Amino acid sequence: MVNVNSKGNNGETYSAIDFSPFAGISYYELSQTDADGKTEELGIKTIKLTDLKERSLSVYPNPVVNGLINFQTNGLNGLKNIFIFDLNGKKVLSEQIPFTNGTATLKLRKQLAKGSYILKVGSANINTKIIIE
């Protein structure tokens, strides 16, 4: 079970990332609990991943040291948007880097606080957890 804390009543959207998805069909049961303790079941959502292996991503070193992140994935070429989010879902970094035959290197332009982050390769919809030291 994953809990996502409320962002208030300002109409913001929520998201959660499954870091260990299964190839094929996965089912996610969603519910919402209000501040007064009332829970509403939102139903079951189905996600189908048919090409899980094609979307694998390796980043190294992880933990990240000296602000340098190397990428290895299958089949990405050209400029790709890279996003880094804190664990509250706030975007803390956005970069565009060139991939060649699935490899790329990113030198962080700004110092991030030590801790865990979510790294996303934009158009490829690939996510992974990174640790900044």
Side-chain angles (χ1 to χ4, degrees):
M1 178 191 325
V2 173
N3 290 316
V4 178
N5 291 330
S6 172
K7 296 179 182 178
N9 289 331
N10 53 9
E12 292 191 44
T13 59
Y14 298 86
S15 65
I17 298 171
D18 184 349
F19 287 103
S20 301
F22 295 103
I25 298 174
S26 293
Y27 301 91
Y28 298 89
E29 183 175 10
L30 305 178
S31 65
Q32 173 180 312
T33 303
D34 294 336
D36 64 4
K38 180 182 170 190
T39 298
E40 177 184 353
E41 300 298 325
L42 301 176
I44 296 175
K45 301 296 179 190
T46 304
I47 304 294
K48 183 176 182 181
L49 293 175
T50 56
D51 58 350
L52 190 61
K53 288 185 180 177
E54 290 180 17
R55 295 179 179 211
S56 65
L57 173 67
S58 296
V59 294
Y60 57 94
N62 196 8
V64 175
V65 290
N66 299 323
L68 193 65
I69 304 173
N70 297 295
F71 297 82
Q72 179 64 52
T73 188
N74 297 335
L76 285 184
N77 285 296
L79 287 175
K80 302 297 176 195
N81 292 315
I82 306 297
F83 304 101
I84 298 179
F85 299 89
D86 66 19
L87 295 183
N88 292 318
K90 179 182 175 189
K91 186 179 356 176
V92 296
L93 187 125
S94 177
E95 295 276 342
Q96 193 174 59
I97 61 171
F99 277 78
T100 304
N101 296 322
T103 62
T105 300
L106 169 65
K107 176 68 174 162
L108 298 177
R109 291 182 304 161
K110 70 178 195 176
Q111 180 75 28
L112 297 177
K114 291 182 180 184
S116 297
Y117 295 86
I118 306 300
L119 182 143
K120 178 179 180 181
V121 179
S123 63
N125 201 26
I126 303 171
N127 302 296
T128 192
K129 181 178 177 180
I130 62 170
I131 299 171
I132 303 291
E133 287 197 346

